[in-house]
Amino acid sequence: MIEILSPTDVRRARDTGALVAGILQTLRGRTTVGTNLLEIDGWAREMIIEAGAQSCYVDYAPSFGRGPFGHYICTSVNDAVLHGLPHDYTLADGDLLSLDLAVSLGGVVADSAVSFLVGDARPPESVALIDATERALRAGIAAAGPGARVGDLSHAIGSVLSAAGYSVNTEFGGHGVGSTMHQDPHVSNTGRAGRGYTLRPGLLLALEPWVMADTATLVTDADGWTLRSATGCRTAHSEHTIAITDDGAEILTLPQPTQP
């Protein structure tokens, strides 16, 4: 299903996006060496409930997971890239952590992910991975607007990732959002420009470039959810929800500058 939101629902989506961005920003600020993944999940739960929002993950039980997910946020560490199931793991200096959060507020969903390094260590390979996904995300957003095709976004994202030297996996990618978390159209992280669905004002898309350092092959963890690189290499994942408007693409999950 491809859902085109009314102007009223787009306004609601702005509130949802601001909530998701604020939660991720707070979690990133709280996360340090010694933080446990279950603490992060607990903090997310508290903030979602306090906001009067609903988790898109707790009861989520798709065919590709061993559902229901049962947690409030995806926490993927190092070789884990997608759907990381929170568990009893204490973060170490230099760990690469990806947080992926989707919530519903006022009947409209927003979805976003951020990758960052914990502590003071800055392994160059990890810095490069994160940078590539962030640049690819910006390129995908820049290609979006009324009249653009889904393939234009996919091509823009894939061009950045490929130029950075990474192989692109097409099993999972971006997607439509609206009253539910995962909708059509699918937005692959590589593709041909000029192909696919034509974007219209009122369409919400979650764009999510993700890469693995030296492979395009995923393996599923024994927990039935966490997707890891087949070689054990590090990974990164960046995501924003955007709204297609008459003027282009509006980023709904952009964090606000922190106050001094």
Side-chain angles (χ1 to χ4, degrees):
M1 178 183 73
I2 296 177
E3 186 176 7
I4 303 299
L5 273 64
S6 68
T8 298
D9 283 336
V10 171
R11 288 193 291 271
R12 292 192 181 112
R14 292 189 181 104
D15 292 336
T16 314
L19 173 63
V20 169
I23 291 174
L24 286 177
Q25 190 173 31
T26 298
L27 293 175
R28 181 171 183 165
R30 287 184 185 178
T31 300
T32 61
V33 174
T35 299
N36 192 286
L37 299 183
L38 293 175
E39 288 183 276
I40 297 173
D41 187 56
W43 294 334
R45 176 183 181 275
E46 290 171 2
M47 287 185 278
I48 291 169
I49 292 173
E50 183 178 355
Q54 295 78 45
S55 168
C56 293
Y57 293 163
V58 172
D59 297 323
Y60 188 50
S63 59
F64 57 78
R66 187 186 300 161
F69 188 75
H71 290 271
Y72 289 78
I73 192 167
C74 295
T75 55
S76 303
V77 183
N78 295 334
D79 66 321
V81 64
L82 297 173
H83 313 155
L85 193 71
H87 60 284
D88 185 12
Y89 176 81
T90 299
L91 292 162
D93 189 36
D95 275 347
L96 198 168
L97 174 64
S98 299
L99 300 177
D100 188 354
L101 179 69
V103 303
S104 178
L105 179 68
V108 184
V109 170
D111 190 359
S112 184
V114 60
S115 291
F116 58 95
L117 289 159
V118 178
D120 298 323
R122 292 292 180 271
E125 178 188 77
S126 298
V127 172
L129 280 165
I130 296 168
D131 177 68
T133 62
E134 291 177 345
R135 288 189 291 110
L137 180 56
R138 290 195 294 270
I141 294 169
R149 300 266 189 166
V150 166
D152 299 335
L153 282 60
S154 297
H155 177 73
I157 291 168
S159 296
V160 172
L161 298 179
S162 296
Y166 301 113
S167 300
V168 180
N169 178 292
T170 57
E171 293 174 77
F172 296 91
H175 50 89
V177 296
S179 58
T180 58
M181 176 172 58
H182 287 143
Q183 299 183 359
D184 291 330
H186 173 72
V187 186
S188 175
N189 284 328
T190 189
R192 296 179 63 182
R195 300 295 183 93
Y197 180 77
T198 301
L199 309 188
R200 298 165 49 192
L203 177 68
L204 264 58
L205 295 172
L207 305 184
E208 48 181 315
W210 58 274
V211 290
M212 301 176 282
D214 62 17
T215 184
T217 303
L218 291 167
V219 294
T220 303
D221 192 86
D223 65 20
W225 274 101
T226 305
L227 296 178
R228 300 184 182 275
S229 61
T231 61
C233 67
R234 286 198 164 190
T235 68
H237 176 203
S238 297
E239 179 180 16
H240 274 312
T241 294
I242 63 172
I244 305 303
T245 71
D246 291 329
D247 301 318
E250 178 183 352
I251 305 174
L252 303 181
T253 50
L254 194 66
Q256 298 302 305
T258 55
Q259 298 297 318

